[in-house]
Every structure is written in structure tokens, then in C-alpha cells.
Amino acid sequence: MKTSTFLFLSMLIYFLGISNLAATPKEVAKISGKITDQKGEPVPYANVALVLLDGTLVDGAVSDENGAFLIESTKTAKVKLIVSSIGYAAFSTDPFDLIPGINKDFGTLKISDEMTGLDEVTVKASRPEIIIEADKTIINIEGTVMAEGSNALDVVGRSPGIFVDQDGNINLNGRTGATVMINDRPTYMSSTDLANFLRSMPADNIKSIEVINNPSARFDAEGSAGVINIILKKNNVDGVFGNIQVGGQYNGQFAPNAGMTLNVKKGKLSSTGTVNYNEFAQFNDIDINRNFTLEQGISNFNQNSRITSRYKTPSFNGSANYELNKNQNLGLNVQASTSTDVNSSLSETVITNPRQQFNNFLESLNDSKGRRDRLFTNLHYDAKLDTLGSKISADVDFTIMASESSSLLDNRYWAENNDPGLANTDKIRTLNDMYYTIFTAKVDFTKALKGGKTFESGLKGSWVESDNDLDLSRAQNEGPFEQDPNSNRFVYNENVLAAYASLKGSFNPKLSYQAGLRGEYSDIIGNSVTLNEVNKQNYFNLFPSVFVQHKVSDNYQVVYNANRRITRPNYRLLNPFIYYIDPLTSEQGNPNLQPQYSTNFDMNHVVKGVYQFTLGYSITENAFMQVFSQNQEDRTTTTFTDNFEQTRNANFRAIVPVEIKKWWNTSNMIQVNYNQFQTQIGENFLDVEQVSYMARTQQNFTLPKGFRMEVMGMYLGPQIWGQGRIGGFGWVDAGVTKSVMKDKLSISVNGTDLFRSQVIKANVQFADIDTSFRQYRSNQGVRFTLRYNFAKGESFRVKSNTGSSEERNRLD
């Protein structure tokens, strides 16, 4: 980063943060307590409000994951305390005098289950849409229009600071490498498989999304961009309830989807099962223009391609929880999915050569198909050790994944002055089989200490084995297929042992902290069986994390956090394979790829509990980036992933929700990123930087006769990404929903990329590379969904489980 830019950012962070020192301290009243249900289980994220006798809100808070709450106020009034949460009857205390300086502890407040069956009453959520905590931001999804008619990938991509690109890669705060979890459990999928899995999950099954920009020591150090945790709805009715959903999308191709969720509870045993089927179809139009500099002059390759793809993904997610007693809980989670895909691409390339009168032509047809099977199991145990919040939990995970794919690339070459029927031909056949087993075990311990402090510690081990067999063969004209020397079998073993400890507490009522340290030892062996090459790596790293939350006043708080993270290479990228996309373009593995390390800093200013203004800065060493390499002699392009020496990212993000009318509210976000990339590529040194921005607005309307509508617009400004420069583009989505039959049946219609504007234009101008391309995927489309809810029974609560989390998203 240029010195002037760094000094400017440092001064900006300093002066924004130092504003809290200028705040004049006021005497505050402290209202505290703990919310539990009738069984003594904590009720997290309940609304706790101080209201006047006429119902006017004075101050409020949200209970934490242990049900505890603290309201600090400088106001004087006669008030009462009201507690509300979905699935529970409202609770109210007797009126009392709120006076600055008092310290009133209500102790444990037990709230009752709401005993009305869902067949008769629809419970409306009163929780805030976004809950801001010291180490994470919680976005409540329930009740939004886009949730009712969208899938999980859609709503994840619309969460603050998150952007999902056209390939399904999830970016957080302008950085790649975000770790995605479901109910605190790992996904263990490549980015492509994860995108298809999330597309198969109806968004209406999601309760909330937790965005953890800088995870604490309790989380695995894996994932340089942070953690995204998808929390699914839990059964809260005694008996049986669930929903059935059918729908489809048309974007030039029709793709259906369907799903069912069933929840059952009897006594101490509760279970949830979800079965979904999703098809995702698209076409991808790509125009590529490449210039090669030869001794005689410039040779130009102009390539036009259309790729059509269809993915089919049936999936199952089931969990069972058994209450051994009031202090112990045993849980089981099983996830299974099968994803199949069929792809066909046709490309035509016109080749002009210097000093030649006639052009050359190349036509390529690439047909491929693949299948990926995944089974994930988690066994979970947790126990409360005392009434202060001390607890212990243990998880064991086991994952099996198998993948197989085949493709046939058929190429025809001819000159403009020759008969195309006499064209030369060659064929490349690729067979690729991959198999993974992942076993992890972990234990976490939490101890409540005196003075409100909390100590956490834990151990984890993970053992990964993968076997990748790539078989390439070629045929010239009508000749037989012969083995290609680039065929390769690659076996990969990775063992990681980790331990952590952290302490959470407060210096005073306005200043709280959490500090932790995690250590991880990695032992890795990569064996290229075909080449008889073995690559060994072992290393030990420490990953500190610090959080400080300063409540400057009732309407203003500042959250500071810093940590260090690691991202290990995807297993497949370490395989020294060569995969042909077309005769002109190939992808290559890199067995020497090293882990990347990032150091991250954030300062989040929260105004009135809803407005967020965040400054962030990160430095990444050995950053993963895609590298383009051209061979001027045979005029081919190879792409591979390599370690950049250093990348820097500074960002500013503002989230501003506004209620324009009672029937019209809006949520707006703007993010500005400064990116710098520095590395040596061959004989040339890359040193580029750029300021880019992203803006998003969501408009929500409550219309007459039960209709609701949401419109979302997004724009990404021009940006650099390694060697490449990407032009700006934007799009608009809209959705409308209507509930009938006493809210049992909902009908949703969503339109995506309404103006067909999600067009990507990019170029690579570096050293001897001169390439530009234009791409449009079939994003413009319409999606419809019918959802029927059925329920009968009494309200209840089910404990949540957690699972281990690391090896996800590295299987691509």
C-alpha cells in the first residue's frame, strides 16, 4: 500500500475511534437478568424492553445465547419490563421507577410456551431484522419476501458484506475464502457443490444467518475471509408440523424444485428431517479475444462459445435430539446429497495470422457429465456443569465424498481456403475419479468465573485422506485413443491438531473484551503416484484474536477486533494435473502451493443499534490467486493457482436501514474496497492497486390485501483481481408474495436480473498477455414457489447442537 494511503487510513481509524474518549460519562441505570423457559433452558435472542405505562419504548436489549440480558439507561421514568420471543407468551413485570444509578437484577425470569396451535394463530416476529453483537452480526431471515420465494444461496448473497459471484463463490467483505457452516457444522464441500447444495435449500427454512467477520479462537483458523453460519429453523411445536414446497425457474431453460420438511417431537426425543430436490440450469455465453505477439506480427484468436449446463441435486438433512436429563443432551445430524451434472459447450474460433491471406478455423465440442455423492454425520453431546453457564460439549464428524466425471473434447481444424469437410480432427478424453474421507473430533469447555468472566478452551483433531485419479487419452483424426503422459494419480493426507483458550469479561460496565489464542499443527503428505514424487509439509502456527466492545452511550458503541487466519489449499489444486478446457486453454495443478495467512483488523461503529459504519484492513501473505500464462510459440493459454507474495485490502462499509413509511422500509449498504496485489510472475513483477465499490439497496413494501413486495438493486464498480481487470456491472431483482388460507399457503414469484444487465467484461494486460473477454450467464429469469404449511400441537423448545468446523470448501 502506498505510504500516503496507509497514513490516511490510520488517521481515519484513529480519529473515528478516539471520538469515544470525548464522550462525557453519565450515570447509568443497570437492569439485568436471565430469560429461561419453564424447563429452565435459556431463551436466546429474546426481546427485552423497558416501556412506559402507555407502551412507549424507553430502552431495550436482546438476550445473549445464554439468555442473559443487560439494559443500561440514563433516563428517568416509571416503566415496566416486557419480554417477548417467538413461540412464547409475552411476559411483563410490575411497574417500577427507572432512575440513573440504580442496579436492578431481576434474576431468572421464566416465560411460558405459547400454547396456541399454529393451525389457528400466526405468530408475528417482533425481533429486529439485524442483531449486532461484539463478534458477529445476526440477520433474521424469517418473514422476508425473498426468503419465501428464494433459496439459501440467494439470501446469503444479500446479507451485509457478502457477495456471491456468477460461479457461486462466496466473498465476504471483498475477500475470498469465507467458511460456510450450517447450524455450526461444517459443509465439507467444494465451492461448486456448496453452491448447488444451497440452491436446493429453500430460504424459508432458514431462521437466521450469522456473519462473523473475524472469528474468535473457538473457531477453526481455516478461512481468511471469516465465517458465515446458516441457522435453520428448529421445531417448536409439540407433535408434528412441517411444510411442502414446489416450484421452478425459467431462464431459457426450465428447472423444477420441490421439498418437504417434517418435525416430530415426543417426550424427550425430537427430530427434524428435510428432503429437497433442485435442478439448476443455465447457459453461459463467452466471447474471448486473444492477441499473440510473433516475430512476423500479431496473431489474433477470436473465440465465441456457448456452454449449457444442468445440475440435479437431491439432498437430505436430518437431526435428532434426546434430552438425557435436564442438564445433558445428545444429538445426531446426518446430511446426504447427490449432485449430477451434464454440460455441453460449442466454441468457434477464427484465427488470423500475420502475412497470411486466409484465416484458420477451429471448432470444438466438449460434452461432459459428472456425479458427486456426499455423506456427513455428526454426533454431539453437551452437558451443563453448573447454573452459572459452565458447560462441556463434544463432537465427532465423519464425511465420505466420492466424485466421478468424464468428458470428450472433439476438435476440428481447417483453413479458409480448404473444404471444412476435410478438416483435421483430434479428440481428448478425460476421466477423473476422486474420493475423500474426513474424520474430525473435538471437545469444548466453558467455565463461568467470578466477576462475570468466562473462560473457554478446547481440543480438536482432523484427519483427511483423498485419492484423485486423472486419466487422459488422445486420438488423432480417426485413430485410436492413446494414453496422454499428463495422466496422474494423486494421494493426499492431511492431519491437523489444534488447541485453544480464550477469556471473556469486562473492564467496566461500558468496556468488555474477549481475547484468545489458538495453536494448530499441520502434517501434510502429497504423493503423485504416477510421477513418483512425494511432497511433505509440516508446520505449527499460532492464531491470536482480540475483541473489545465499548458502549460509549445508549446510542453509540464501537467494536474493535483483530485476528490471524490461515487458508489451506483445496486438495485438488495440489494435484499436478493438466485439464483441457479446449485445445487453446488448459488448467494445471500446483503441488507446491503453500497455505495463505491473513492478519485482519476491524472497527465497527454502531449507531442506535441499527446503523453500522465499519473500517477494515487485512494483509494476506502467500495469497491464492489465479495466474494466466501464455505460450507465444504454440499460442496456448494455461491457468493455475499460485501464491502471490502479498495482497492488501482496506475497506469501509456502511449499512443504513430507513423506514420511509409504515408500509415501506429500505435497507441500504455501500462498501468501498482498496485492493493491492504484489508478486513476481515469471520474469515480470506485478504491482497493481485500485479502489472499487459495491452498493446494494433493498426496498420492502407491505401492500393491500396481504401482498408483500421486495426489490433489490446491486452494482459492483470496476475492480482488479490479480492480473485481471473487471468492468463494473449491476442488476435488479424483485419478488412478490401472497399468503392465503390463513397463512397456510404462500405463493411467491421472483424475477432475477430484470434488465439483463449482469454482463461481465474483463481483460488481462500483463507482460506478453493481451486477452479480453465478455460473459453473460442466463441470470435473467423468473422463479415461482408454492409453499404449504401444516402444523398441530403445543409449543416447545429444542436445544441446538454444534459440530466441528474446518475442512469445508477445500474439495474443489
Side-chain angles (χ1 to χ4, degrees):
M1 179 183 288
K2 296 293 187 291
T3 303
S4 59
T5 307
F6 179 77
L7 290 175
F8 171 76
L9 286 172
S10 300
M11 293 175 63
L12 184 60
I13 291 175
Y14 173 77
F15 283 115
L16 283 174
I18 205 172
S19 61
N20 58 48
L21 299 178
T24 303
K26 296 180 181 180
E27 196 172 17
V28 297
K30 300 177 184 177
I31 311 299
S32 60
K34 183 177 181 179
I35 312 299
T36 70
D37 60 17
Q38 293 299 307
K39 295 181 179 180
E41 299 296 331
V43 179
Y45 312 127
N47 282 336
V48 186
L50 295 175
V51 300
L52 300 177
L53 301 186
D54 63 0
T56 302
L57 177 67
V58 176
D59 271 309
V62 176
S63 63
D64 63 18
E65 60 182 9
N66 296 315
F69 69 89
L70 173 64
I71 302 176
E72 294 181 328
S73 179
T74 59
K75 300 173 184 177
T76 301
K78 173 76 75 173
V79 298
K80 57 183 178 179
L81 185 76
I82 294 179
V83 179
S84 61
S85 184
I86 292 179
Y88 295 98
F91 175 88
S92 178
T93 67
D94 294 331
F96 64 94
D97 291 323
L98 177 66
I99 303 172
I102 69 168
N103 192 345
K104 189 174 183 65
D105 186 356
F106 280 94
T108 300
L109 299 176
K110 291 188 176 183
I111 59 178
S112 302
D113 294 342
E114 193 163 44
M115 304 301 290
T116 305
L118 291 185
D119 283 343
E120 302 298 333
V121 175
T122 300
V123 180
K124 297 297 183 182
S126 58
R127 292 174 296 172
E129 183 182 359
I130 296 179
I131 300 172
I132 303 168
E133 297 186 354
D135 57 345
K136 62 186 174 184
T137 298
I138 302 170
I139 304 98
N140 289 312
I141 303 301
E142 292 177 292
T144 65
V145 177
M146 288 296 184
E148 293 187 9
S150 299
N151 57 55
L153 188 64
D154 291 332
V155 295
V156 166
R158 294 185 181 119
S159 300
I162 300 176
F163 168 64
V164 179
D165 65 23
Q166 295 195 16
D167 294 319
N169 299 309
I170 299 175
N171 301 269
L172 179 58
N173 297 328
R175 305 196 301 266
T176 59
T179 295
V180 178
M181 304 169 64
I182 298 175
N183 283 347
D184 298 313
R185 302 182 182 99
T187 52
Y188 298 113
M189 283 182 277
S190 69
S191 58
T192 300
D193 291 337
L194 177 62
N196 289 327
F197 184 79
L198 294 179
R199 287 188 186 103
S200 73
M201 181 186 298
D204 202 40
N205 287 345
I206 299 176
K207 176 184 177 183
S208 60
I209 296 174
E210 298 177 350
V211 179
I212 308 170
N213 295 315
N214 290 316
S216 66
R218 181 173 66 88
F219 290 87
D220 298 314
E222 175 72 28
S224 59
V227 172
I228 301 168
N229 189 20
I230 301 172
I231 305 299
L232 303 180
K233 293 179 181 178
K234 297 182 176 67
N235 40 348
N236 61 357
V237 173
D238 194 10
V240 178
F241 83 102
N243 60 72
I244 299 175
Q245 178 171 291
V246 295
Q249 180 173 3
Y250 182 79
N251 59 358
Q253 300 182 74
F254 178 72
N257 62 76
M260 183 179 75
T261 298
L262 183 67
N263 302 272
V264 181
K265 182 179 186 299
K266 184 177 182 181
K268 295 183 177 181
L269 179 65
S270 61
S271 61
T272 299
T274 299
V275 178
N276 291 309
Y277 174 82
N278 180 74
E279 287 193 23
F280 175 67
Q282 67 174 5
F283 64 81
N284 186 8
D285 288 335
I286 306 176
D287 299 331
I288 304 176
N289 191 74
R290 314 181 207 196
N291 291 317
F292 296 87
T293 302
L294 308 178
E295 291 184 2
Q296 302 87 350
I298 301 296
S299 176
N300 176 262
F301 285 42
N302 194 305
Q303 181 179 4
N304 299 310
S305 304
R306 166 163 282 203
I307 305 171
T308 59
S309 306
R310 181 174 292 271
Y311 297 87
K312 300 179 181 180
T313 307
S315 61
F316 169 78
N317 185 8
S319 63
N321 297 271
Y322 184 76
E323 296 181 8
L324 301 173
N325 54 49
K326 66 176 183 179
N327 293 321
Q328 299 183 75
N329 186 57
L330 186 65
L332 174 69
N333 177 236
V334 177
Q335 300 174 13
S337 64
T338 295
S339 180
T340 59
D341 64 88
V342 177
N343 302 273
S344 180
S345 68
L346 176 63
S347 67
E348 297 179 350
T349 305
V350 179
I351 303 172
T352 60
N353 295 307
R355 302 178 184 177
Q356 288 188 9
Q357 180 180 358
F358 299 103
N359 296 331
N360 292 327
F361 297 92
L362 166 61
E363 181 181 83
S364 298
L365 176 63
N366 194 345
D367 290 325
S368 65
K369 60 181 180 179
R371 176 188 176 102
R372 288 159 298 282
D373 299 313
R374 167 183 173 266
L375 175 65
F376 165 80
T377 59
N378 163 263
L379 183 64
H380 172 83
Y381 168 81
D382 68 74
K384 293 182 179 180
L385 304 180
D386 55 38
T387 59
L388 300 177
S390 300
K391 59 184 179 181
I392 189 170
S393 64
D395 287 272
V396 176
D397 295 348
F398 183 67
T399 302
I400 299 175
M401 293 190 63
S403 172
E404 60 182 26
S405 63
S406 62
S407 66
L408 180 62
L409 177 60
D410 192 346
N411 309 300
R412 299 174 63 244
Y413 311 82
W414 71 94
E416 187 176 10
N417 58 333
N418 292 334
D419 183 359
L422 301 177
N424 292 321
T425 65
D426 69 53
K427 297 179 181 179
I428 303 175
R429 184 172 62 195
T430 304
L431 304 176
N432 193 11
D433 294 334
M434 293 181 283
Y435 182 79
Y436 306 90
T437 59
I438 303 172
F439 177 77
T440 66
K442 73 168 187 172
V443 60
D444 297 287
F445 172 72
T446 301
K447 175 64 176 177
L449 306 175
K450 293 182 180 179
K453 295 182 175 64
T454 302
F455 174 76
E456 292 183 335
S457 63
L459 298 171
K460 180 188 174 182
S462 70
W463 296 266
V464 178
E465 181 177 354
S466 72
D467 192 338
N468 182 194
D469 192 3
L470 180 67
D471 183 10
L472 291 173
S473 57
R474 292 174 176 266
Q476 297 290 332
N477 294 318
E478 299 303 322
F481 281 94
E482 298 180 356
Q483 190 76 19
D484 188 286
N486 292 311
S487 297
N488 184 49
R489 183 185 174 201
F490 183 72
V491 179
Y492 177 86
N493 290 274
E494 175 189 280
N495 303 325
V496 178
L497 302 177
Y500 77 92
S502 68
L503 181 66
K504 181 191 300 184
S506 59
F507 297 110
N508 55 55
K510 286 185 171 292
L511 198 62
S512 59
Y513 66 88
Q514 180 178 345
L517 182 65
R518 186 180 186 93
E520 294 189 354
Y521 172 77
S522 302
D523 185 11
I524 299 171
I525 300 177
N527 180 13
S528 178
V529 178
T530 305
L531 301 177
N532 195 25
E533 294 180 357
V534 178
N535 189 309
K536 296 183 178 180
Q537 300 180 39
N538 58 77
Y539 44 86
F540 176 77
N541 296 111
L542 292 175
F543 302 97
S545 60
V546 178
F547 301 83
V548 177
Q549 185 174 20
H550 187 181
K551 186 175 182 181
V552 182
S553 67
D554 292 341
N555 294 323
Y556 177 44
Q557 63 174 316
V558 187
V559 180
Y560 308 86
N561 56 64
N563 68 6
R564 184 171 184 258
R565 308 277 294 168
I566 184 175
T567 302
R568 298 177 179 86
N570 293 337
Y571 312 131
R572 175 176 169 270
L573 293 179
L574 293 167
N575 184 358
F577 67 91
I578 294 181
Y579 181 81
Y580 291 94
I581 301 171
D582 58 46
L584 308 175
T585 312
S586 62
E587 181 187 3
Q588 183 173 315
N590 183 1
N592 299 313
L593 201 58
Q594 300 293 313
Q596 71 175 24
Y597 298 90
S598 63
T599 304
N600 311 295
F601 306 91
D602 264 1
M603 182 174 63
N604 188 18
H605 297 255
V606 184
V607 179
K608 295 185 177 181
V610 293
Y611 306 106
Q612 293 187 70
F613 304 93
T614 305
L615 282 168
Y617 180 68
S618 68
I619 303 175
T620 303
E621 308 290 339
N622 292 334
F624 301 147
M625 294 298 299
Q626 188 178 47
V627 175
F628 294 83
S629 175
Q630 279 192 177
N631 187 315
Q632 299 298 105
E633 295 295 328
D634 57 17
R635 291 170 291 179
T636 59
T637 301
T638 301
T639 65
F640 60 94
T641 301
D642 204 358
N643 293 112
F644 275 31
E645 294 173 12
Q646 190 177 84
T647 65
R648 299 174 186 262
N649 172 270
N651 61 80
F652 168 76
R653 182 175 66 257
I655 300 174
V656 182
V658 179
E659 182 175 344
I660 300 174
K661 299 286 184 179
K662 288 185 177 181
W663 51 270
W664 179 12
N665 65 81
T666 176
S667 176
N668 308 283
M669 183 195 76
I670 186 169
Q671 180 165 317
V672 181
N673 289 296
Y674 167 86
N675 288 300
Q676 183 191 45
F677 301 88
Q678 291 180 328
T679 195
Q680 186 76 31
I681 301 178
E683 299 179 354
N684 300 280
F685 185 74
L686 177 70
D687 185 2
V688 292
E689 61 181 357
Q690 186 179 32
V691 175
S692 62
Y693 63 94
M694 175 176 67
R696 177 171 58 208
T697 181
Q698 293 174 231
Q699 310 289 325
N700 305 292
F701 304 92
T702 301
L703 304 175
K705 297 184 179 182
F707 284 92
R708 289 183 297 162
M709 182 177 180
E710 182 171 298
V711 179
M712 190 280 294
M714 188 164 183
Y715 183 79
L716 278 74
Q719 57 184 300
I720 58 171
W721 197 247
Q723 297 165 287
R725 294 182 178 272
I726 305 172
F729 62 97
W731 68 94
V732 175
D733 297 344
V736 62
T737 187
K738 165 71 173 174
S739 295
V740 296
M741 298 172 57
K742 296 183 179 180
D743 291 337
K744 288 184 179 180
L745 180 66
S746 64
I747 305 169
S748 303
V749 178
N750 290 303
T752 56
D753 193 15
L754 299 183
F755 304 104
R756 200 181 176 87
S757 56
Q758 202 168 348
V759 179
I760 296 180
K761 298 178 181 179
N763 66 78
V764 178
Q765 307 282 339
F766 177 75
D768 57 357
I769 303 176
D770 182 5
T771 299
S772 61
F773 75 89
R774 178 187 186 276
Q775 174 179 279
Y776 180 77
R777 298 195 176 182
S778 51
N779 298 303
Q780 187 181 56
V782 60
R783 179 170 53 229
F784 64 91
T785 305
L786 296 176
R787 182 181 179 89
Y788 178 75
N789 299 297
F790 56 90
K792 187 175 183 181
E794 298 176 338
S795 301
F796 71 102
R797 301 291 290 184
V798 178
K799 298 179 183 179
S800 61
N801 291 344
T802 60
S804 61
S805 55
E806 175 165 332
E807 295 70 23
R808 79 237 6 119
N809 290 342
R810 298 178 52 215
L811 302 176
D812 189 47

